[in-house]
mmCIF file of all heavy atoms in Angstrom:
data_model
loop_
_atom_site.group_PDB
_atom_site.id
_atom_site.type_symbol
_atom_site.label_atom_id
_atom_site.label_comp_id
_atom_site.label_asym_id
_atom_site.label_seq_id
_atom_site.Cartn_x
_atom_site.Cartn_y
_atom_site.Cartn_z
ATOM 1 N N GLY U 1 86.507 30.833 -70.773
ATOM 2 C CA GLY U 1 87.825 30.209 -70.695
ATOM 3 C C GLY U 1 88.273 30.102 -69.252
ATOM 4 O O GLY U 1 89.072 30.903 -68.778
ATOM 5 N N LEU U 2 87.771 29.110 -68.535
ATOM 6 C CA LEU U 2 87.974 29.024 -67.088
ATOM 7 C C LEU U 2 89.256 28.318 -66.681
ATOM 8 O O LEU U 2 89.557 28.218 -65.498
ATOM 9 C CB LEU U 2 86.777 28.304 -66.441
ATOM 10 C CG LEU U 2 85.401 28.919 -66.706
ATOM 11 C CD1 LEU U 2 84.335 28.150 -65.951
ATOM 12 C CD2 LEU U 2 85.387 30.390 -66.308
ATOM 13 N N GLY U 3 89.985 27.818 -67.637
ATOM 14 C CA GLY U 3 91.190 27.068 -67.302
ATOM 15 C C GLY U 3 91.013 25.598 -67.646
ATOM 16 O O GLY U 3 89.892 25.096 -67.812
ATOM 17 N N THR U 4 92.102 24.889 -67.716
ATOM 18 C CA THR U 4 92.092 23.519 -68.217
ATOM 19 C C THR U 4 91.161 22.605 -67.424
ATOM 20 O O THR U 4 90.331 21.890 -67.990
ATOM 21 C CB THR U 4 93.513 22.935 -68.194
ATOM 22 O OG1 THR U 4 94.378 23.770 -68.968
ATOM 23 C CG2 THR U 4 93.526 21.525 -68.759
ATOM 24 N N VAL U 5 91.277 22.620 -66.111
ATOM 25 C CA VAL U 5 90.494 21.685 -65.287
ATOM 26 C C VAL U 5 89.018 22.039 -65.314
ATOM 27 O O VAL U 5 88.157 21.171 -65.540
ATOM 28 C CB VAL U 5 91.025 21.668 -63.839
ATOM 29 C CG1 VAL U 5 90.167 20.756 -62.970
ATOM 30 C CG2 VAL U 5 92.480 21.211 -63.809
ATOM 31 N N ALA U 6 88.695 23.317 -65.100
ATOM 32 C CA ALA U 6 87.293 23.731 -65.075
ATOM 33 C C ALA U 6 86.639 23.546 -66.442
ATOM 34 O O ALA U 6 85.484 23.094 -66.541
ATOM 35 C CB ALA U 6 87.181 25.188 -64.626
ATOM 36 N N ASP U 7 87.352 23.874 -67.492
ATOM 37 C CA ASP U 7 86.796 23.693 -68.837
ATOM 38 C C ASP U 7 86.549 22.212 -69.132
ATOM 39 O O ASP U 7 85.574 21.851 -69.813
ATOM 40 C CB ASP U 7 87.736 24.276 -69.885
ATOM 41 C CG ASP U 7 87.695 25.800 -69.924
ATOM 42 O OD1 ASP U 7 86.725 26.378 -69.376
ATOM 43 O OD2 ASP U 7 88.622 26.408 -70.485
ATOM 44 N N ALA U 8 87.408 21.348 -68.609
ATOM 45 C CA ALA U 8 87.217 19.913 -68.823
ATOM 46 C C ALA U 8 85.932 19.432 -68.147
ATOM 47 O O ALA U 8 85.232 18.548 -68.674
ATOM 48 C CB ALA U 8 88.419 19.138 -68.306
ATOM 49 N N VAL U 9 85.614 20.005 -67.005
ATOM 50 C CA VAL U 9 84.352 19.652 -66.334
ATOM 51 C C VAL U 9 83.176 20.047 -67.210
ATOM 52 O O VAL U 9 82.255 19.257 -67.452
ATOM 53 C CB VAL U 9 84.253 20.334 -64.961
ATOM 54 C CG1 VAL U 9 82.866 20.099 -64.352
ATOM 55 C CG2 VAL U 9 85.330 19.818 -64.020
ATOM 56 N N LEU U 10 83.195 21.273 -67.695
ATOM 57 C CA LEU U 10 82.087 21.748 -68.518
ATOM 58 C C LEU U 10 81.975 20.962 -69.813
ATOM 59 O O LEU U 10 80.875 20.615 -70.267
ATOM 60 C CB LEU U 10 82.263 23.238 -68.810
ATOM 61 C CG LEU U 10 82.246 24.167 -67.594
ATOM 62 C CD1 LEU U 10 82.467 25.611 -68.019
ATOM 63 C CD2 LEU U 10 80.936 24.044 -66.821
ATOM 64 N N ASP U 11 83.118 20.660 -70.430
ATOM 65 C CA ASP U 11 83.109 19.896 -71.672
ATOM 66 C C ASP U 11 82.619 18.469 -71.444
ATOM 67 O O ASP U 11 82.073 17.830 -72.358
ATOM 68 C CB ASP U 11 84.504 19.852 -72.292
ATOM 69 C CG ASP U 11 84.946 21.217 -72.822
ATOM 70 O OD1 ASP U 11 84.070 22.079 -73.020
ATOM 71 O OD2 ASP U 11 86.166 21.410 -73.012
ATOM 72 N N GLY U 12 82.843 17.951 -70.248
ATOM 73 C CA GLY U 12 82.458 16.574 -69.953
ATOM 74 C C GLY U 12 80.973 16.373 -69.722
ATOM 75 O O GLY U 12 80.509 15.233 -69.628
ATOM 76 N N LEU U 13 80.225 17.456 -69.600
ATOM 77 C CA LEU U 13 78.783 17.347 -69.397
ATOM 78 C C LEU U 13 78.125 16.879 -70.693
ATOM 79 O O LEU U 13 78.167 17.570 -71.710
ATOM 80 C CB LEU U 13 78.210 18.695 -68.953
ATOM 81 C CG LEU U 13 78.700 19.207 -67.592
ATOM 82 C CD1 LEU U 13 78.251 20.634 -67.356
ATOM 83 C CD2 LEU U 13 78.209 18.295 -66.473
ATOM 84 N N SER U 14 77.519 15.717 -70.627
ATOM 85 C CA SER U 14 76.916 15.105 -71.809
ATOM 86 C C SER U 14 75.399 15.229 -71.747
ATOM 87 O O SER U 14 74.788 14.844 -70.741
ATOM 88 C CB SER U 14 77.307 13.620 -71.883
ATOM 89 O OG SER U 14 76.416 12.899 -72.700
ATOM 90 N N PRO U 15 74.767 15.740 -72.803
ATOM 91 C CA PRO U 15 73.294 15.824 -72.806
ATOM 92 C C PRO U 15 72.623 14.478 -72.557
ATOM 93 O O PRO U 15 71.621 14.410 -71.842
ATOM 94 C CB PRO U 15 72.980 16.365 -74.209
ATOM 95 C CG PRO U 15 74.201 17.149 -74.582
ATOM 96 C CD PRO U 15 75.347 16.379 -73.995
ATOM 97 N N ASN U 16 73.182 13.412 -73.117
ATOM 98 C CA ASN U 16 72.573 12.095 -72.924
ATOM 99 C C ASN U 16 72.632 11.654 -71.468
ATOM 100 O O ASN U 16 71.649 11.139 -70.912
ATOM 101 C CB ASN U 16 73.266 11.054 -73.812
ATOM 102 C CG ASN U 16 72.936 11.235 -75.282
ATOM 103 O OD1 ASN U 16 71.919 11.830 -75.635
ATOM 104 N ND2 ASN U 16 73.802 10.719 -76.146
ATOM 105 N N HIS U 17 73.794 11.872 -70.822
ATOM 106 C CA HIS U 17 73.923 11.478 -69.416
ATOM 107 C C HIS U 17 73.042 12.357 -68.535
ATOM 108 O O HIS U 17 72.390 11.864 -67.606
ATOM 109 C CB HIS U 17 75.381 11.577 -68.970
ATOM 110 C CG HIS U 17 75.590 11.174 -67.535
ATOM 111 N ND1 HIS U 17 75.450 9.878 -67.093
ATOM 112 C CD2 HIS U 17 75.906 11.913 -66.436
ATOM 113 C CE1 HIS U 17 75.680 9.826 -65.791
ATOM 114 N NE2 HIS U 17 75.970 11.051 -65.368
ATOM 115 N N VAL U 18 73.015 13.644 -68.823
ATOM 116 C CA VAL U 18 72.176 14.549 -68.032
ATOM 117 C C VAL U 18 70.706 14.152 -68.149
ATOM 118 O O VAL U 18 69.976 14.090 -67.148
ATOM 119 C CB VAL U 18 72.388 16.010 -68.490
ATOM 120 C CG1 VAL U 18 71.335 16.924 -67.873
ATOM 121 C CG2 VAL U 18 73.788 16.482 -68.104
ATOM 122 N N ARG U 19 70.257 13.860 -69.348
ATOM 123 C CA ARG U 19 68.864 13.438 -69.529
ATOM 124 C C ARG U 19 68.585 12.127 -68.792
ATOM 125 O O ARG U 19 67.496 11.941 -68.230
ATOM 126 C CB ARG U 19 68.558 13.276 -71.015
ATOM 127 C CG ARG U 19 68.449 14.592 -71.771
ATOM 128 C CD ARG U 19 68.179 14.356 -73.244
ATOM 129 N NE ARG U 19 68.147 15.600 -73.988
ATOM 130 C CZ ARG U 19 67.081 16.382 -74.096
ATOM 131 N NH1 ARG U 19 65.951 16.027 -73.495
ATOM 132 N NH2 ARG U 19 67.130 17.506 -74.780
ATOM 133 N N ALA U 20 69.561 11.241 -68.781
ATOM 134 C CA ALA U 20 69.371 9.960 -68.092
ATOM 135 C C ALA U 20 69.227 10.164 -66.580
ATOM 136 O O ALA U 20 68.381 9.531 -65.934
ATOM 137 C CB ALA U 20 70.541 9.026 -68.396
ATOM 138 N N VAL U 21 70.049 11.054 -66.016
ATOM 139 C CA VAL U 21 69.951 11.338 -64.587
ATOM 140 C C VAL U 21 68.610 11.985 -64.271
ATOM 141 O O VAL U 21 67.927 11.615 -63.298
ATOM 142 C CB VAL U 21 71.115 12.235 -64.125
ATOM 143 C CG1 VAL U 21 70.901 12.703 -62.689
ATOM 144 C CG2 VAL U 21 72.443 11.491 -64.245
ATOM 145 N N VAL U 22 68.205 12.942 -65.080
ATOM 146 C CA VAL U 22 66.921 13.620 -64.862
ATOM 147 C C VAL U 22 65.768 12.626 -64.966
ATOM 148 O O VAL U 22 64.809 12.673 -64.181
ATOM 149 C CB VAL U 22 66.746 14.771 -65.874
ATOM 150 C CG1 VAL U 22 65.333 15.334 -65.811
ATOM 151 C CG2 VAL U 22 67.763 15.875 -65.594
ATOM 152 N N ALA U 23 65.854 11.706 -65.921
ATOM 153 C CA ALA U 23 64.794 10.704 -66.071
ATOM 154 C C ALA U 23 64.692 9.828 -64.826
ATOM 155 O O ALA U 23 63.586 9.473 -64.385
ATOM 156 C CB ALA U 23 65.063 9.850 -67.303
ATOM 157 N N ARG U 24 65.831 9.486 -64.222
ATOM 158 C CA ARG U 24 65.808 8.678 -62.996
ATOM 159 C C ARG U 24 65.201 9.452 -61.841
ATOM 160 O O ARG U 24 64.465 8.892 -61.016
ATOM 161 C CB ARG U 24 67.230 8.222 -62.655
ATOM 162 C CG ARG U 24 67.800 7.228 -63.654
ATOM 163 C CD ARG U 24 69.273 6.962 -63.409
ATOM 164 N NE ARG U 24 69.485 6.253 -62.154
ATOM 165 C CZ ARG U 24 70.696 5.933 -61.689
ATOM 166 N NH1 ARG U 24 71.785 6.290 -62.373
ATOM 167 N NH2 ARG U 24 70.820 5.279 -60.551
#
């Protein structure tokens, strides 16, 4: 529970986007 802003960053991490960046 890191707080509203920090938690929003963590929640915003999408497996699909992360995989796309790694693939590039």
Side-chain angles (χ1 to χ4, degrees):
L2 303 183
T4 303
V5 177
D7 285 343
V9 173
L10 297 179
D11 291 342
L13 296 171
S14 160
N16 289 338
H17 181 69
V18 169
R19 287 179 183 276
V21 172
V22 171
R24 292 171 68 182

